């Protein structure tokens, strides 16, 4: 049931379809060579931070398809408190994703970047950064437009 605060506001991608294709292309390109499970964990975590229900619904579904357990999905919002459920590489990527998403909290600290760089080469870091940037863009567009959960873009 929609309330005035949650009613769809703007069918953005139907009104401006030329916006969708380049952002979708960036997302696809960023995912190339990345572990699909890691990619979905990042897409979920950033969407949690940005409170994008549309993207959360989509990426939780994709994470399940990629074989991510319900427990890992459920604990993702508190991943730092559940270190046994995420690899060191995943934790480094999640910290990087949070820092990039929450830039107003002081940018990306050197220690967060260095922790990620210990697990990913420069090309992989570039892809992670592009993926995090893409999902932040998707989140902002869908939250502002109030894209309903489960709707087709």
């Amino acid at each position: 049931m929609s309330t005035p605060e949650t009613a769809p506001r703007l069918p953005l991608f139907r009104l401006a379809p030329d916006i969708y294709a380049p952002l979708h292309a960036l997302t696809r390109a960023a995912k190339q060579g990345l572990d699909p499970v890691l990619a979905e964990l990042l897409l979920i975590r950033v969407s949690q931070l940005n409170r994008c229900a549309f993207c959360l619904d989509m990426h939780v579904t994709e994470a399940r398809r990629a074989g991510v357990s319900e427990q890992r999905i459920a604990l993702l919002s508190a991943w730092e408190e559940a270190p046994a459920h995420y690899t060191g590489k995943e934790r480094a990527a999640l910290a990087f994703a949070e820092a990039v998403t929450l830039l107003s909290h002081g940018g990306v600290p050197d220690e967060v970047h260095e922790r990620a760089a210990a697990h990913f080469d420069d090309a992989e870091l570039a892809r992670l950064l592009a993926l995090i940037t893409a999902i932040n863009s998707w989140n902002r567009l869908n939250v502002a437009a109030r894209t309903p959960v489960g709707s087709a873009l």
Side-chain angles (χ1 to χ4, degrees):
M1 167 157 113
S2 9
T3 65
E5 298 83 29
T6 62
R9 181 179 281 155
L10 188 65
L12 181 66
F13 298 108
R14 190 182 65 201
L15 295 171
D18 53 327
I19 294 169
Y20 178 86
L23 191 49
H24 189 60
L26 172 61
T27 304
R28 274 194 325 269
K31 284 182 172 184
Q32 288 181 9
L34 293 179
D35 172 14
V37 168
L38 175 66
E40 292 305 326
L41 291 174
L42 294 179
L43 295 169
I44 292 169
R45 184 63 190 130
V46 171
S47 296
Q48 289 173 335
L49 292 170
N50 289 325
R51 302 173 49 98
C52 183
F54 177 86
C55 292
L56 276 168
D57 179 61
M58 176 190 307
H59 294 295
V60 164
T61 299
E62 291 300 317
R64 288 178 180 134
R65 283 189 193 134
V68 179
S69 72
E70 291 299 320
Q71 186 177 37
R72 283 174 29 101
I73 292 169
L75 291 172
L76 195 52
S77 65
W79 64 270
E80 289 176 299
E81 311 306 319
H85 295 277
Y86 305 95
T87 67
K89 187 174 187 174
E90 289 169 341
R91 292 192 313 274
L94 288 163
F96 186 63
E98 288 186 7
V100 171
T101 299
L102 304 172
L103 285 175
S104 64
H105 294 186
V108 179
D110 288 341
E111 59 272 11
V112 171
H113 183 271
E114 290 164 10
R115 183 175 166 195
H119 292 277
F120 300 94
D121 64 29
D122 286 348
E124 291 169 321
L125 278 175
R127 291 194 182 281
L128 287 176
L129 181 55
L131 184 62
I132 296 161
T133 300
I135 192 61
N136 271 286
S137 295
W138 284 115
N139 291 163
R140 281 155 175 74
L141 290 167
N142 284 304
V143 169
R146 291 190 187 144
T147 306
V149 170
S151 66
L153 290 182

